[in-house]
Amino acid sequence: MSEKDIVLGVVGSPNPDGRTNRLVKAALEGAAMAGAATELIQMSEHVVEGCKDCLPWVCAENQKCTYEDEAFELLSTKVLNCGALILGTPVYWWDTSAMVKYFILKMFRVFARSAPLQGLPAFGISIAGGTGNGLVSGLRPVYHFFQVMQMRALEPLPATRFNFGGAEKRAKELGGRIAAMRHERHPFTGLEERLLWYDQLPYLGLSRAEERRLLAALTGLALPEDRSGKVTSGLARADLLTAAGDRTGSMIEITRSYEAGKKAFEG
Ligand SMILES: Cc1cc2nc3c(=O)[nH]c(=O)nc-3n(C[C@H](O)[C@H](O)[C@H](O)COP(=O)(O)O)c2cc1C
């Protein structure tokens, strides 16, 4: 089995036993069930140092960070050589974790120009395990990484504690799908095709209001039908208010629905 065939899962959480780990593991299980060899890496064991943005910009020429950074060397080598990539991040303050961001920024500095990851199949997972806020905005830096590095990304998986069971199932399915793509990279024909590809992926283009509506809807989906009524009716009212142009009124209804769903979920 060549390294090129491996489906690589990277856990971008400082907590190796947390929800990010569970979701990335579920994705790798799906990949393994589809016949792929898999490897899981905990970023917490390989924390990349911040890019020093040094000049002259030789790292882009020789594709190696000028400073000794064993963690970056290891992670970047694994990513460059895998057949498919799954990157999971916990959501911190509606964003990715710092360790994911440090890795991404150094990857840009060293590899964005030479673009050695063109066409690599990839997908990202975010887990907003607290309020659920940032389930989409936490994914955007990960998809920005995929896009700039010209990878061929599948749809993202935004997870919260409210839809966690469903997210684990979905992670498995996506893992199976990406496993089938691991033998071949399909680079884009140009920048235009690449940008349009990323534009058509779900979730990433949601407005803040739409993201909040999605979160409220997820709290309702987690509940049995007899307890989700307040969420469903609240969201229906919110949609009517949006249609009538009352966007603030709609957001207030969405927040009420979210609070009702969260209360029922926790009760
Ligand atoms: C610094 C910090 C910021 C956080 N910000 C958010 C947030 O914006 N939205 C959210 O839903 N959860 C937030 N959380 C909760 C984490 O997303 C949650 O604990 C998640 O399960 C962490 O992933 P892990 O289980 O892999 O460690 C935050 C946690 C920390 C430590």
Side-chain angles (χ1 to χ4, degrees):
M1 176 73 57
S2 133
E3 229 184 327
K4 289 265 178 220
D5 291 322
I6 285 178
V7 177
L8 178 69
V10 180
V11 177
S13 168
N15 175 11
D17 303 315
R19 293 189 179 104
T20 315
N21 180 58
R22 280 171 62 188
L23 289 169
V24 174
K25 256 191 168 166
L28 291 184
E29 266 170 47
M33 277 163 62
T38 65
E39 182 174 358
L40 181 86
I41 296 190
Q42 299 287 346
M43 258 191 192
S44 57
E45 292 169 13
H46 310 282
V47 179
V48 170
E49 283 175 31
C51 174
K52 298 186 199 310
D53 198 11
C54 56
L55 289 171
W57 190 355
V58 290
C59 64
E61 301 297 325
N62 59 22
Q63 280 137 55
K64 192 172 164 46
C65 181
T66 305
Y67 290 86
E68 201 172 312
D69 185 344
E70 272 179 32
F72 182 68
E73 192 64 31
L74 183 137
L75 284 178
S76 60
T77 304
K78 293 275 181 199
V79 170
L80 290 172
N81 290 305
C82 71
L85 172 67
I86 300 160
L87 176 53
T89 181
V91 175
Y92 286 171
W93 300 110
W94 306 44
D95 205 336
T96 62
S97 65
M99 58 176 77
V100 167
K101 198 58 112 14
Y102 272 33
F103 172 64
I104 288 175
L105 291 177
K106 205 173 257 196
M107 285 295 286
F108 285 161
R109 186 75 175 158
V110 180
F111 296 113
R113 278 192 167 175
S114 51
L117 292 171
Q118 287 184 42
L120 179 75
F123 74 90
I125 302 172
S126 68
I127 165 69
T131 56
N133 286 314
L135 73 164
V136 172
S137 56
L139 271 169
R140 284 198 187 103
V142 171
Y143 274 72
H144 182 61
F145 169 53
F146 295 159
Q147 188 275 116
V148 170
M149 299 302 285
Q150 308 185 27
M151 299 183 211
R152 177 76 70 171
L154 298 184
E155 66 183 71
L157 175 53
T160 67
R161 64 192 164 101
F162 309 110
N163 69 325
F164 196 78
E168 273 186 314
K169 260 197 206 151
R170 188 71 191 132
K172 250 189 201 172
E173 285 165 12
L174 289 170
R177 255 176 72 194
I178 211 162
M181 300 163 72
R182 73 192 185 278
H183 298 300
E184 219 177 330
R185 295 184 180 183
H186 291 281
F188 295 101
T189 52
L191 175 68
E192 296 75 15
E193 191 207 349
R194 174 157 48 105
L195 296 183
L196 289 170
W197 175 273
Y198 279 87
D199 268 357
Q200 54 82 39
L201 292 175
Y203 304 115
L204 301 167
L206 293 186
S207 67
R208 288 174 179 79
E210 288 163 341
E211 178 177 1
R212 192 149 176 78
R213 192 196 181 289
L214 170 69
L215 171 59
L218 290 179
T219 65
L221 282 180
L223 299 169
E225 222 169 285
D226 58 329
R227 289 168 61 212
S228 63
K230 275 190 185 165
V231 178
T232 317
S233 58
L235 289 179
R237 275 194 301 278
D239 291 344
L240 285 174
L241 288 165
T242 300
D246 182 359
R247 298 180 64 211
T248 307
S250 174
M251 278 295 260
I252 291 167
E253 275 299 340
I254 288 172
T255 294
R256 280 197 194 119
S257 305
Y258 164 74
E259 294 295 348
K262 184 162 141 311
K263 197 169 158 201
F265 180 85
E266 286 166 352

